[in-house]
Amino acid sequence: MMKRMLSLGTPSSRFIKNLLLCCVLMIFLPMLLVVLGFSDVVGMGYAEEKNADQKEERKYENIKARKRQAVGKKCASKLEEVQKIFGGEAPPRIEQLRAMAGQLQVYLDSSCASSYEKSQVYNLLGFVYYSLDNYTKSVVNYRAMVAEPDVDDRQKADTHYTLGQLYMVLEDYKNASRQLEIWMKSSGVVSGDGKVLLAQAYYHLDRKKESLILVDEAVDGAKEKGSLPKEGW
């Protein structure tokens, strides 16, 4: 047990950036499908253990019965321009990211006017500022995203997880734990990685008993699926 507790710490920046990149790139396919006329697109989001847990019951299993939010053609065409920069062979340059942040801010007041469209722009802004190492502005925009009344429910839950990661990078463990607790309550499937991340926040808040319980749950969950617990758990 002591070994597990000593292994708890701040997650690597590279690991978090990879997750954020995966999340932000996943918003483009649904938007492009809407532009092409396919309105029945799946809810957007990501999960660290999506493949392993896809057969489990989720709170959002009835999402097909709900009226889906859509990005309008005007907004989607603007955001597609951003996608081309992210989808290039080379990563965006600093000057491109800065220009992108300015363009996205303009879209909030012009091309992307609905609440749902704004949530997607805030999502992109959050990632752009993360890429610029401006974690504070990244948090501000992700929080603005989840505050939009028409944000996609599943994407909102995933973004609380992202906020938890960012607060961990900022060493703001109190807010990190709050965001991860919200994520755990709103997400249908709680990954082992998520439990360990919250355990790390609890550890730094001197809530070691709760931290150890979460780590044990993550390890036991991996064993039940026939997997080896990840290194560092």
Side-chain angles (χ1 to χ4, degrees):
M1 289 186 179
M2 182 59 68
K3 185 177 180 180
R4 290 182 188 173
M5 297 302 294
L6 291 174
S7 70
L8 295 177
T10 303
S12 70
S13 177
R14 179 179 296 180
F15 174 73
I16 294 177
K17 192 163 188 175
N18 286 339
L19 285 181
L20 289 173
L21 179 60
C22 176
C23 178
V24 75
L25 291 180
M26 284 185 68
I27 80 167
F28 293 114
L29 178 58
M31 283 192 290
L32 291 177
L33 288 173
V34 171
V35 173
L36 294 173
F38 299 95
S39 60
D40 190 24
V41 296
V42 298
M44 292 174 284
Y46 67 91
E48 175 72 345
E49 298 178 358
K50 182 177 179 180
N51 291 334
D53 295 322
Q54 61 183 354
K55 293 183 180 180
E56 296 185 28
E57 181 179 0
R58 296 191 59 122
K59 289 182 180 179
Y60 307 111
E61 64 179 351
N62 63 338
I63 195 168
K64 290 184 179 180
R66 299 172 54 191
K67 181 179 179 181
R68 300 188 188 282
Q69 298 290 342
V71 174
K73 292 183 179 180
K74 183 178 180 181
C75 180
S77 65
K78 295 295 183 181
L79 298 186
E80 186 178 359
E81 297 173 8
V82 177
Q83 184 268 344
K84 290 178 181 178
I85 297 177
F86 277 116
E89 294 183 2
R93 300 186 302 274
I94 296 296
E95 56 269 25
Q96 286 180 305
L97 290 170
R98 289 173 177 166
M100 194 184 302
Q103 289 174 347
L104 289 169
Q105 199 65 51
V106 172
Y107 297 159
L108 285 172
D109 301 321
S110 55
S111 304
C112 303
S114 74
S115 175
Y116 179 73
E117 290 172 342
K118 287 180 183 294
S119 73
Q120 302 311 303
V121 176
Y122 283 129
N123 186 32
L124 285 168
L125 278 167
F127 180 74
V128 169
Y129 281 118
Y130 180 86
S131 301
L132 289 169
D133 295 331
N134 192 331
Y135 306 132
T136 301
K137 279 195 173 182
S138 181
V139 165
V140 168
N141 282 280
Y142 279 126
R143 289 191 72 113
M145 174 194 166
V146 299
E148 282 295 330
D150 293 334
V151 64
D152 177 83
D153 288 340
R154 188 179 297 184
Q155 192 178 18
K156 181 177 181 178
D158 291 339
T159 302
H160 282 299
Y161 185 83
T162 298
L163 282 165
Q165 292 175 304
L166 286 168
Y167 278 124
M168 289 294 288
V169 173
L170 292 169
E171 299 183 1
D172 184 345
Y173 303 116
K174 187 174 183 179
N175 273 315
S177 66
R178 286 175 178 171
Q179 292 297 322
L180 291 169
E181 287 166 353
I182 294 172
W183 167 73
M184 289 184 70
K185 290 178 181 178
S186 58
S187 180
V189 175
V190 178
S191 66
D193 284 324
K195 290 181 179 180
V196 172
L197 191 62
L198 180 55
Q200 291 170 333
Y202 284 164
Y203 178 80
H204 288 290
L205 293 170
D206 202 28
R207 297 168 63 177
K208 295 182 174 60
K209 185 176 180 179
E210 295 167 276
S211 176
L212 184 57
I213 290 173
L214 285 170
V215 174
D216 286 340
E217 286 180 2
V219 172
D220 292 342
K223 290 180 178 178
E224 287 176 3
K225 295 174 184 177
S227 304
L228 290 174
K230 295 184 179 180
E231 185 177 356
W233 282 12

